[in-house]
Amino acid sequence: MAVLEINSLTKTYGKGDTSVTALDHVSFSMNKGEFVAIIGASGSGKSTLMNLIGGIDHSTSGSVKIDGNEIYNLIPTLTTAENIMLPRLLDHRKPDPDKLSSILETIGLSERATHLPSELSGGQQQRVSVGRALINDPAFILADEPTGNLDSKASREIIDLLRLANKRSNQTLLVITHDEKIALQADRIITLGDGQILSDEVMKA
Ligand SMILES: Nc1ncnc2c1ncn2[C@@H]1O[C@H](COP(=O)(O)OP(=O)(O)OP(=O)(O)O)[C@@H](O)[C@H]1O
Ligand SMILES: [Mg+2]
């Protein structure tokens, strides 16, 4: 079952002589439970693609069909537990205390439930974002450089967590990364270059 279908997606920034075609007729789809890494040189269109998939920006042409959720920033005035529960509160749905404790345990922050983001390390903050992505059992998790400014130990923890969600709950995972070690853990690696798909390779298990 495809949870993401991208069809001839094109994005041009600006008009006339100075316009930049950041994405040029990109098409691919992802099945439920798949882990895909997007790699490519700086400026190749990775973040543009992610922003279109996440609905942050509009395409110039083409379409995105998605069933999903995104990892987004923490609210500084909310505690760890509140930040994780936020999607449910925004949906006016009852928080489920058992689910919250199980997620806090999974991300290793049971002892930090009442801390504010400013009282957590960078890696812990990112784990809270992952926890929030997991609270609604989203079909889809999008992450643009989820380990961007973390040291290698914290990066490994984030990726292990995302992989756990991917394997255990069959969550679909689309990750942009510059880190080859992360990309090599994916089921598929899509390489972008100048706004186009240069290769789309299925990795061996
Ligand atoms: N708002 C914008 N206005 C004009 N051009 C833009 C804008 N955003 C991105 N671009 C251009 O679109 C192209 C793709 O940018 P994008 O941010 O998608 O690259 P990227 O692959 O994410 O790069 P990086 O690895 O450095 O994050 C680049 O040439 C960039 O300069
Ligand atoms: Mg980028």
Side-chain angles (χ1 to χ4, degrees):
M1 185 186 87
V3 291
L4 174 72
E5 285 180 72
I6 290 179
N7 203 347
S8 206
L9 199 61
T10 298
K11 174 72 184 182
T12 303
Y13 293 106
K15 286 199 164 67
D17 287 354
T18 57
S19 73
V20 175
T21 297
L23 273 190
D24 188 4
H25 297 89
V26 165
S27 303
F28 71 96
S29 58
M30 282 179 67
N31 289 323
K32 176 154 178 53
E34 221 178 356
F35 171 11
V36 172
I38 307 258
I39 61 173
S42 182
S44 58
K46 303 182 297 296
S47 293
T48 300
L49 174 63
M50 210 54 127
N51 292 345
L52 295 178
I53 295 173
I56 293 169
D57 200 0
H58 295 288
S59 66
T60 306
S61 61
S63 66
V64 175
K65 274 198 244 163
I66 191 186
D67 176 8
N69 250 25
E70 201 197 344
I71 293 186
Y72 45 101
N73 293 331
L74 301 180
I75 311 281
T77 51
L78 298 183
T79 66
T80 296
E82 289 163 346
N83 264 298
I84 292 172
M85 299 304 281
L86 188 66
R88 297 195 75 85
L89 300 173
L90 292 175
D91 276 359
H92 302 288
R93 284 191 287 160
K94 267 228 177 71
D96 173 347
D98 291 341
K99 180 101 197 237
L100 175 63
S101 340
S102 125
I103 287 179
L104 282 168
E105 202 174 309
T106 306
I107 61 174
L109 292 179
S110 301
E111 311 297 313
R112 296 283 184 281
T114 58
H115 285 57
L116 296 173
S118 59
E119 299 165 334
L120 301 172
S121 73
Q124 288 172 335
Q125 290 176 21
Q126 245 137 329
R127 279 188 268 156
V128 177
S129 298
V130 173
R132 179 159 61 191
L134 298 179
I135 192 91
N136 276 340
D137 288 322
F140 207 106
I141 298 176
L142 292 174
D144 191 345
E145 299 280 3
T147 60
N149 37 30
L150 301 179
D151 64 29
S152 60
K153 179 169 173 282
S155 299
R156 220 175 313 119
E157 284 172 5
I158 292 292
I159 291 302
D160 287 350
L161 254 176
L162 289 172
R163 291 260 297 160
L164 192 71
N166 170 242
K167 294 288 168 242
R168 194 190 271 171
S169 316
N170 201 29
Q171 252 146 1
T172 313
L173 187 55
L174 183 60
V175 174
I176 290 183
T177 185
H178 278 105
D179 186 337
E180 192 175 308
K181 279 199 218 103
I182 292 172
L184 288 172
Q185 296 189 45
D187 302 320
R188 244 168 95 192
I189 300 181
I190 295 176
T191 307
L192 290 183
D194 283 334
Q196 296 182 325
I197 293 183
L198 298 182
S199 67
D200 184 343
E201 295 172 280
V202 176
M203 302 288 110
K204 283 209 195 79

PDB file of all heavy atoms in Angstrom, residues 119-154:
ATOM      1  N   GLU A 119      15.920  22.582  29.606  1.00  0.00           N
ATOM      2  CA  GLU A 119      16.603  21.811  30.649  1.00  0.00           C
ATOM      3  C   GLU A 119      17.078  20.451  30.128  1.00  0.00           C
ATOM      4  O   GLU A 119      17.483  19.604  30.900  1.00  0.00           O
ATOM      5  CB  GLU A 119      15.655  21.605  31.844  1.00  0.00           C
ATOM      6  CG  GLU A 119      15.229  22.917  32.477  1.00  0.00           C
ATOM      7  CD  GLU A 119      14.031  22.771  33.410  1.00  0.00           C
ATOM      8  OE1 GLU A 119      13.233  21.835  33.235  1.00  0.00           O
ATOM      9  OE2 GLU A 119      13.889  23.621  34.295  1.00  0.00           O
ATOM     10  N   LEU A 120      16.965  20.262  28.802  1.00  0.00           N
ATOM     11  CA  LEU A 120      17.371  18.982  28.199  1.00  0.00           C
ATOM     12  C   LEU A 120      18.545  19.210  27.257  1.00  0.00           C
ATOM     13  O   LEU A 120      18.724  20.304  26.715  1.00  0.00           O
ATOM     14  CB  LEU A 120      16.202  18.381  27.401  1.00  0.00           C
ATOM     15  CG  LEU A 120      14.913  18.097  28.172  1.00  0.00           C
ATOM     16  CD1 LEU A 120      13.807  17.693  27.196  1.00  0.00           C
ATOM     17  CD2 LEU A 120      15.125  17.012  29.217  1.00  0.00           C
ATOM     18  N   SER A 121      19.316  18.137  27.032  1.00  0.00           N
ATOM     19  CA  SER A 121      20.402  18.228  26.047  1.00  0.00           C
ATOM     20  C   SER A 121      19.804  18.203  24.636  1.00  0.00           C
ATOM     21  O   SER A 121      18.622  17.869  24.460  1.00  0.00           O
ATOM     22  CB  SER A 121      21.350  17.048  26.213  1.00  0.00           C
ATOM     23  OG  SER A 121      20.746  15.866  25.729  1.00  0.00           O
ATOM     24  N   GLY A 122      20.623  18.542  23.632  1.00  0.00           N
ATOM     25  CA  GLY A 122      20.143  18.552  22.255  1.00  0.00           C
ATOM     26  C   GLY A 122      19.584  17.192  21.839  1.00  0.00           C
ATOM     27  O   GLY A 122      18.533  17.105  21.204  1.00  0.00           O
ATOM     28  N   GLY A 123      20.285  16.138  22.222  1.00  0.00           N
ATOM     29  CA  GLY A 123      19.843  14.781  21.868  1.00  0.00           C
ATOM     30  C   GLY A 123      18.537  14.432  22.558  1.00  0.00           C
ATOM     31  O   GLY A 123      17.652  13.820  21.963  1.00  0.00           O
ATOM     32  N   GLN A 124      18.417  14.838  23.829  1.00  0.00           N
ATOM     33  CA  GLN A 124      17.169  14.565  24.555  1.00  0.00           C
ATOM     34  C   GLN A 124      16.007  15.322  23.915  1.00  0.00           C
ATOM     35  O   GLN A 124      14.910  14.783  23.775  1.00  0.00           O
ATOM     36  CB  GLN A 124      17.334  14.974  26.024  1.00  0.00           C
ATOM     37  CG  GLN A 124      18.250  14.019  26.788  1.00  0.00           C
ATOM     38  CD  GLN A 124      18.582  14.534  28.185  1.00  0.00           C
ATOM     39  OE1 GLN A 124      18.535  15.736  28.444  1.00  0.00           O
ATOM     40  NE2 GLN A 124      18.930  13.620  29.083  1.00  0.00           N
ATOM     41  N   GLN A 125      16.255  16.570  23.506  1.00  0.00           N
ATOM     42  CA  GLN A 125      15.196  17.354  22.846  1.00  0.00           C
ATOM     43  C   GLN A 125      14.730  16.654  21.579  1.00  0.00           C
ATOM     44  O   GLN A 125      13.536  16.581  21.289  1.00  0.00           O
ATOM     45  CB  GLN A 125      15.705  18.751  22.497  1.00  0.00           C
ATOM     46  CG  GLN A 125      15.925  19.635  23.708  1.00  0.00           C
ATOM     47  CD  GLN A 125      16.520  20.980  23.330  1.00  0.00           C
ATOM     48  OE1 GLN A 125      16.426  21.410  22.196  1.00  0.00           O
ATOM     49  NE2 GLN A 125      17.133  21.646  24.288  1.00  0.00           N
ATOM     50  N   GLN A 126      15.687  16.126  20.818  1.00  0.00           N
ATOM     51  CA  GLN A 126      15.308  15.465  19.577  1.00  0.00           C
ATOM     52  C   GLN A 126      14.512  14.189  19.857  1.00  0.00           C
ATOM     53  O   GLN A 126      13.604  13.839  19.129  1.00  0.00           O
ATOM     54  CB  GLN A 126      16.532  15.183  18.714  1.00  0.00           C
ATOM     55  CG  GLN A 126      16.461  15.990  17.430  1.00  0.00           C
ATOM     56  CD  GLN A 126      17.777  16.619  17.049  1.00  0.00           C
ATOM     57  OE1 GLN A 126      18.581  16.969  17.919  1.00  0.00           O
ATOM     58  NE2 GLN A 126      18.012  16.762  15.766  1.00  0.00           N
ATOM     59  N   ARG A 127      14.865  13.515  20.989  1.00  0.00           N
ATOM     60  CA  ARG A 127      14.100  12.318  21.357  1.00  0.00           C
ATOM     61  C   ARG A 127      12.667  12.682  21.732  1.00  0.00           C
ATOM     62  O   ARG A 127      11.745  11.909  21.481  1.00  0.00           O
ATOM     63  CB  ARG A 127      14.800  11.584  22.502  1.00  0.00           C
ATOM     64  CG  ARG A 127      15.932  10.718  21.968  1.00  0.00           C
ATOM     65  CD  ARG A 127      16.510   9.850  23.042  1.00  0.00           C
ATOM     66  NE  ARG A 127      17.630  10.502  23.685  1.00  0.00           N
ATOM     67  CZ  ARG A 127      18.053  10.231  24.921  1.00  0.00           C
ATOM     68  NH1 ARG A 127      17.409   9.343  25.667  1.00  0.00           N
ATOM     69  NH2 ARG A 127      19.098  10.852  25.418  1.00  0.00           N
ATOM     70  N   VAL A 128      12.468  13.878  22.333  1.00  0.00           N
ATOM     71  CA  VAL A 128      11.107  14.324  22.647  1.00  0.00           C
ATOM     72  C   VAL A 128      10.313  14.500  21.337  1.00  0.00           C
ATOM     73  O   VAL A 128       9.154  14.081  21.236  1.00  0.00           O
ATOM     74  CB  VAL A 128      11.106  15.633  23.467  1.00  0.00           C
ATOM     75  CG1 VAL A 128       9.682  16.106  23.704  1.00  0.00           C
ATOM     76  CG2 VAL A 128      11.828  15.439  24.792  1.00  0.00           C
ATOM     77  N   SER A 129      10.977  15.076  20.314  1.00  0.00           N
ATOM     78  CA  SER A 129      10.300  15.232  19.014  1.00  0.00           C
ATOM     79  C   SER A 129       9.901  13.882  18.443  1.00  0.00           C
ATOM     80  O   SER A 129       8.826  13.736  17.864  1.00  0.00           O
ATOM     81  CB  SER A 129      11.220  15.905  17.999  1.00  0.00           C
ATOM     82  OG  SER A 129      11.567  17.175  18.427  1.00  0.00           O
ATOM     83  N   VAL A 130      10.784  12.907  18.606  1.00  0.00           N
ATOM     84  CA  VAL A 130      10.468  11.565  18.112  1.00  0.00           C
ATOM     85  C   VAL A 130       9.291  11.000  18.900  1.00  0.00           C
ATOM     86  O   VAL A 130       8.355  10.434  18.330  1.00  0.00           O
ATOM     87  CB  VAL A 130      11.694  10.624  18.211  1.00  0.00           C
ATOM     88  CG1 VAL A 130      11.303   9.203  17.860  1.00  0.00           C
ATOM     89  CG2 VAL A 130      12.811  11.094  17.291  1.00  0.00           C
ATOM     90  N   GLY A 131       9.303  11.221  20.222  1.00  0.00           N
ATOM     91  CA  GLY A 131       8.196  10.763  21.065  1.00  0.00           C
ATOM     92  C   GLY A 131       6.881  11.354  20.606  1.00  0.00           C
ATOM     93  O   GLY A 131       5.857  10.677  20.517  1.00  0.00           O
ATOM     94  N   ARG A 132       6.917  12.624  20.263  1.00  0.00           N
ATOM     95  CA  ARG A 132       5.693  13.284  19.811  1.00  0.00           C
ATOM     96  C   ARG A 132       5.234  12.712  18.471  1.00  0.00           C
ATOM     97  O   ARG A 132       4.048  12.557  18.221  1.00  0.00           O
ATOM     98  CB  ARG A 132       5.899  14.782  19.697  1.00  0.00           C
ATOM     99  CG  ARG A 132       4.646  15.465  19.215  1.00  0.00           C
ATOM    100  CD  ARG A 132       4.629  16.914  19.550  1.00  0.00           C
ATOM    101  NE  ARG A 132       5.748  17.561  18.912  1.00  0.00           N
ATOM    102  CZ  ARG A 132       6.118  18.804  19.180  1.00  0.00           C
ATOM    103  NH1 ARG A 132       5.485  19.518  20.070  1.00  0.00           N
ATOM    104  NH2 ARG A 132       7.133  19.320  18.548  1.00  0.00           N
ATOM    105  N   ALA A 133       6.192  12.380  17.625  1.00  0.00           N
ATOM    106  CA  ALA A 133       5.827  11.789  16.338  1.00  0.00           C
ATOM    107  C   ALA A 133       5.180  10.427  16.537  1.00  0.00           C
ATOM    108  O   ALA A 133       4.428   9.963  15.687  1.00  0.00           O
ATOM    109  CB  ALA A 133       7.054  11.673  15.444  1.00  0.00           C
ATOM    110  N   LEU A 134       5.485   9.777  17.672  1.00  0.00           N
ATOM    111  CA  LEU A 134       4.974   8.419  17.882  1.00  0.00           C
ATOM    112  C   LEU A 134       3.608   8.379  18.580  1.00  0.00           C
ATOM    113  O   LEU A 134       2.909   7.380  18.507  1.00  0.00           O
ATOM    114  CB  LEU A 134       5.970   7.612  18.727  1.00  0.00           C
ATOM    115  CG  LEU A 134       7.358   7.415  18.112  1.00  0.00           C
ATOM    116  CD1 LEU A 134       8.248   6.629  19.051  1.00  0.00           C
ATOM    117  CD2 LEU A 134       7.257   6.726  16.762  1.00  0.00           C
ATOM    118  N   ILE A 135       3.208   9.485  19.230  1.00  0.00           N
ATOM    119  CA  ILE A 135       2.021   9.434  20.092  1.00  0.00           C
ATOM    120  C   ILE A 135       0.746   9.096  19.314  1.00  0.00           C
ATOM    121  O   ILE A 135      -0.140   8.439  19.821  1.00  0.00           O
ATOM    122  CB  ILE A 135       1.842  10.744  20.911  1.00  0.00           C
ATOM    123  CG1 ILE A 135       0.795  10.565  22.011  1.00  0.00           C
ATOM    124  CG2 ILE A 135       1.448  11.918  20.036  1.00  0.00           C
ATOM    125  CD1 ILE A 135       1.340  10.101  23.323  1.00  0.00           C
ATOM    126  N   ASN A 136       0.670   9.542  18.082  1.00  0.00           N
ATOM    127  CA  ASN A 136      -0.543   9.286  17.295  1.00  0.00           C
ATOM    128  C   ASN A 136      -0.412   8.097  16.365  1.00  0.00           C
ATOM    129  O   ASN A 136      -1.238   7.924  15.484  1.00  0.00           O
ATOM    130  CB  ASN A 136      -0.886  10.515  16.448  1.00  0.00           C
ATOM    131  CG  ASN A 136      -1.664  11.531  17.235  1.00  0.00           C
ATOM    132  OD1 ASN A 136      -2.257  11.194  18.256  1.00  0.00           O
ATOM    133  ND2 ASN A 136      -1.672  12.767  16.775  1.00  0.00           N
ATOM    134  N   ASP A 137       0.639   7.279  16.535  1.00  0.00           N
ATOM    135  CA  ASP A 137       0.881   6.178  15.605  1.00  0.00           C
ATOM    136  C   ASP A 137       0.750   6.650  14.172  1.00  0.00           C
ATOM    137  O   ASP A 137      -0.044   6.105  13.403  1.00  0.00           O
ATOM    138  CB  ASP A 137      -0.115   5.031  15.838  1.00  0.00           C
ATOM    139  CG  ASP A 137       0.207   4.311  17.121  1.00  0.00           C
ATOM    140  OD1 ASP A 137       1.398   4.142  17.414  1.00  0.00           O
ATOM    141  OD2 ASP A 137      -0.742   3.923  17.819  1.00  0.00           O
ATOM    142  N   PRO A 138       1.480   7.688  13.789  1.00  0.00           N
ATOM    143  CA  PRO A 138       1.330   8.216  12.436  1.00  0.00           C
ATOM    144  C   PRO A 138       1.757   7.173  11.420  1.00  0.00           C
ATOM    145  O   PRO A 138       2.623   6.341  11.714  1.00  0.00           O
ATOM    146  CB  PRO A 138       2.289   9.409  12.402  1.00  0.00           C
ATOM    147  CG  PRO A 138       3.339   9.056  13.394  1.00  0.00           C
ATOM    148  CD  PRO A 138       2.636   8.305  14.477  1.00  0.00           C
ATOM    149  N   ALA A 139       1.141   7.224  10.258  1.00  0.00           N
ATOM    150  CA  ALA A 139       1.530   6.301   9.201  1.00  0.00           C
ATOM    151  C   ALA A 139       2.915   6.665   8.691  1.00  0.00           C
ATOM    152  O   ALA A 139       3.626   5.841   8.143  1.00  0.00           O
ATOM    153  CB  ALA A 139       0.526   6.346   8.073  1.00  0.00           C
ATOM    154  N   PHE A 140       3.325   7.926   8.912  1.00  0.00           N
ATOM    155  CA  PHE A 140       4.456   8.460   8.187  1.00  0.00           C
ATOM    156  C   PHE A 140       5.268   9.410   9.058  1.00  0.00           C
ATOM    157  O   PHE A 140       4.710  10.254   9.730  1.00  0.00           O
ATOM    158  CB  PHE A 140       3.886   9.270   7.014  1.00  0.00           C
ATOM    159  CG  PHE A 140       4.798   9.343   5.864  1.00  0.00           C
ATOM    160  CD1 PHE A 140       4.548   8.600   4.732  1.00  0.00           C
ATOM    161  CD2 PHE A 140       5.916  10.151   5.903  1.00  0.00           C
ATOM    162  CE1 PHE A 140       5.385   8.654   3.652  1.00  0.00           C
ATOM    163  CE2 PHE A 140       6.768  10.200   4.827  1.00  0.00           C
ATOM    164  CZ  PHE A 140       6.499   9.465   3.700  1.00  0.00           C
ATOM    165  N   ILE A 141       6.573   9.242   9.064  1.00  0.00           N
ATOM    166  CA  ILE A 141       7.438  10.201   9.757  1.00  0.00           C
ATOM    167  C   ILE A 141       8.427  10.796   8.756  1.00  0.00           C
ATOM    168  O   ILE A 141       9.104  10.076   8.037  1.00  0.00           O
ATOM    169  CB  ILE A 141       8.217   9.540  10.907  1.00  0.00           C
ATOM    170  CG1 ILE A 141       7.261   8.992  11.968  1.00  0.00           C
ATOM    171  CG2 ILE A 141       9.181  10.547  11.548  1.00  0.00           C
ATOM    172  CD1 ILE A 141       7.947   8.243  13.096  1.00  0.00           C
ATOM    173  N   LEU A 142       8.458  12.128   8.706  1.00  0.00           N
ATOM    174  CA  LEU A 142       9.394  12.859   7.837  1.00  0.00           C
ATOM    175  C   LEU A 142      10.448  13.515   8.712  1.00  0.00           C
ATOM    176  O   LEU A 142      10.106  14.161   9.693  1.00  0.00           O
ATOM    177  CB  LEU A 142       8.672  14.024   7.153  1.00  0.00           C
ATOM    178  CG  LEU A 142       7.607  13.763   6.133  1.00  0.00           C
ATOM    179  CD1 LEU A 142       6.962  15.100   5.750  1.00  0.00           C
ATOM    180  CD2 LEU A 142       8.219  13.115   4.923  1.00  0.00           C
ATOM    181  N   ALA A 143      11.706  13.386   8.353  1.00  0.00           N
ATOM    182  CA  ALA A 143      12.739  14.045   9.153  1.00  0.00           C
ATOM    183  C   ALA A 143      13.840  14.589   8.250  1.00  0.00           C
ATOM    184  O   ALA A 143      14.470  13.845   7.514  1.00  0.00           O
ATOM    185  CB  ALA A 143      13.310  13.065  10.172  1.00  0.00           C
ATOM    186  N   ASP A 144      14.055  15.916   8.320  1.00  0.00           N
ATOM    187  CA  ASP A 144      15.094  16.572   7.528  1.00  0.00           C
ATOM    188  C   ASP A 144      16.323  16.714   8.423  1.00  0.00           C
ATOM    189  O   ASP A 144      16.309  17.483   9.376  1.00  0.00           O
ATOM    190  CB  ASP A 144      14.607  17.951   7.075  1.00  0.00           C
ATOM    191  CG  ASP A 144      15.525  18.578   6.021  1.00  0.00           C
ATOM    192  OD1 ASP A 144      16.659  18.098   5.844  1.00  0.00           O
ATOM    193  OD2 ASP A 144      15.098  19.551   5.377  1.00  0.00           O
ATOM    194  N   GLU A 145      17.367  15.947   8.145  1.00  0.00           N
ATOM    195  CA  GLU A 145      18.604  15.975   8.940  1.00  0.00           C
ATOM    196  C   GLU A 145      18.302  15.838  10.428  1.00  0.00           C
ATOM    197  O   GLU A 145      18.667  16.725  11.218  1.00  0.00           O
ATOM    198  CB  GLU A 145      19.374  17.277   8.695  1.00  0.00           C
ATOM    199  CG  GLU A 145      19.807  17.487   7.264  1.00  0.00           C
ATOM    200  CD  GLU A 145      21.064  16.695   6.889  1.00  0.00           C
ATOM    201  OE1 GLU A 145      21.571  15.933   7.732  1.00  0.00           O
ATOM    202  OE2 GLU A 145      21.503  16.826   5.738  1.00  0.00           O
ATOM    203  N   PRO A 146      17.657  14.741  10.846  1.00  0.00           N
ATOM    204  CA  PRO A 146      17.249  14.639  12.249  1.00  0.00           C
ATOM    205  C   PRO A 146      18.427  14.630  13.208  1.00  0.00           C
ATOM    206  O   PRO A 146      18.268  14.877  14.394  1.00  0.00           O
ATOM    207  CB  PRO A 146      16.498  13.307  12.323  1.00  0.00           C
ATOM    208  CG  PRO A 146      17.017  12.506  11.182  1.00  0.00           C
ATOM    209  CD  PRO A 146      17.337  13.513  10.101  1.00  0.00           C
ATOM    210  N   THR A 147      19.616  14.331  12.705  1.00  0.00           N
ATOM    211  CA  THR A 147      20.781  14.262  13.581  1.00  0.00           C
ATOM    212  C   THR A 147      21.764  15.378  13.254  1.00  0.00           C
ATOM    213  O   THR A 147      22.911  15.340  13.663  1.00  0.00           O
ATOM    214  CB  THR A 147      21.478  12.902  13.425  1.00  0.00           C
ATOM    215  OG1 THR A 147      21.894  12.753  12.068  1.00  0.00           O
ATOM    216  CG2 THR A 147      20.552  11.761  13.770  1.00  0.00           C
ATOM    217  N   GLY A 148      21.267  16.386  12.506  1.00  0.00           N
ATOM    218  CA  GLY A 148      22.092  17.450  11.976  1.00  0.00           C
ATOM    219  C   GLY A 148      23.166  18.004  12.898  1.00  0.00           C
ATOM    220  O   GLY A 148      24.324  18.047  12.535  1.00  0.00           O
ATOM    221  N   ASN A 149      22.763  18.426  14.122  1.00  0.00           N
ATOM    222  CA  ASN A 149      23.771  19.062  14.968  1.00  0.00           C
ATOM    223  C   ASN A 149      24.090  18.250  16.218  1.00  0.00           C
ATOM    224  O   ASN A 149      24.392  18.784  17.263  1.00  0.00           O
ATOM    225  CB  ASN A 149      23.311  20.472  15.339  1.00  0.00           C
ATOM    226  CG  ASN A 149      21.821  20.511  15.560  1.00  0.00           C
ATOM    227  OD1 ASN A 149      21.241  19.501  15.984  1.00  0.00           O
ATOM    228  ND2 ASN A 149      21.189  21.628  15.282  1.00  0.00           N
ATOM    229  N   LEU A 150      23.982  16.915  16.091  1.00  0.00           N
ATOM    230  CA  LEU A 150      24.249  16.067  17.256  1.00  0.00           C
ATOM    231  C   LEU A 150      25.591  15.359  17.122  1.00  0.00           C
ATOM    232  O   LEU A 150      26.074  15.134  16.017  1.00  0.00           O
ATOM    233  CB  LEU A 150      23.157  15.000  17.382  1.00  0.00           C
ATOM    234  CG  LEU A 150      21.732  15.509  17.530  1.00  0.00           C
ATOM    235  CD1 LEU A 150      20.772  14.337  17.608  1.00  0.00           C
ATOM    236  CD2 LEU A 150      21.614  16.368  18.771  1.00  0.00           C
ATOM    237  N   ASP A 151      26.167  14.979  18.269  1.00  0.00           N
ATOM    238  CA  ASP A 151      27.392  14.182  18.212  1.00  0.00           C
ATOM    239  C   ASP A 151      27.029  12.750  17.807  1.00  0.00           C
ATOM    240  O   ASP A 151      25.856  12.403  17.702  1.00  0.00           O
ATOM    241  CB  ASP A 151      28.146  14.225  19.537  1.00  0.00           C
ATOM    242  CG  ASP A 151      27.372  13.613  20.687  1.00  0.00           C
ATOM    243  OD1 ASP A 151      26.543  12.701  20.455  1.00  0.00           O
ATOM    244  OD2 ASP A 151      27.581  14.047  21.826  1.00  0.00           O
ATOM    245  N   SER A 152      28.029  11.907  17.580  1.00  0.00           N
ATOM    246  CA  SER A 152      27.735  10.617  16.959  1.00  0.00           C
ATOM    247  C   SER A 152      26.938   9.689  17.880  1.00  0.00           C
ATOM    248  O   SER A 152      26.107   8.922  17.417  1.00  0.00           O
ATOM    249  CB  SER A 152      29.021   9.939  16.490  1.00  0.00           C
ATOM    250  OG  SER A 152      29.868   9.739  17.589  1.00  0.00           O
ATOM    251  N   LYS A 153      27.129   9.806  19.188  1.00  0.00           N
ATOM    252  CA  LYS A 153      26.387   8.941  20.106  1.00  0.00           C
ATOM    253  C   LYS A 153      24.897   9.328  20.085  1.00  0.00           C
ATOM    254  O   LYS A 153      24.019   8.471  19.941  1.00  0.00           O
ATOM    255  CB  LYS A 153      26.941   9.076  21.527  1.00  0.00           C
ATOM    256  CG  LYS A 153      26.214   8.234  22.549  1.00  0.00           C
ATOM    257  CD  LYS A 153      26.970   8.208  23.884  1.00  0.00           C
ATOM    258  CE  LYS A 153      26.175   7.507  24.966  1.00  0.00           C
ATOM    259  NZ  LYS A 153      25.107   8.391  25.515  1.00  0.00           N
ATOM    260  N   ALA A 154      24.621  10.619  20.200  1.00  0.00           N
ATOM    261  CA  ALA A 154      23.236  11.089  20.188  1.00  0.00           C
ATOM    262  C   ALA A 154      22.578  10.776  18.837  1.00  0.00           C
ATOM    263  O   ALA A 154      21.412  10.392  18.781  1.00  0.00           O
ATOM    264  CB  ALA A 154      23.195  12.581  20.483  1.00  0.00           C
TER     265      ALA A 154
END
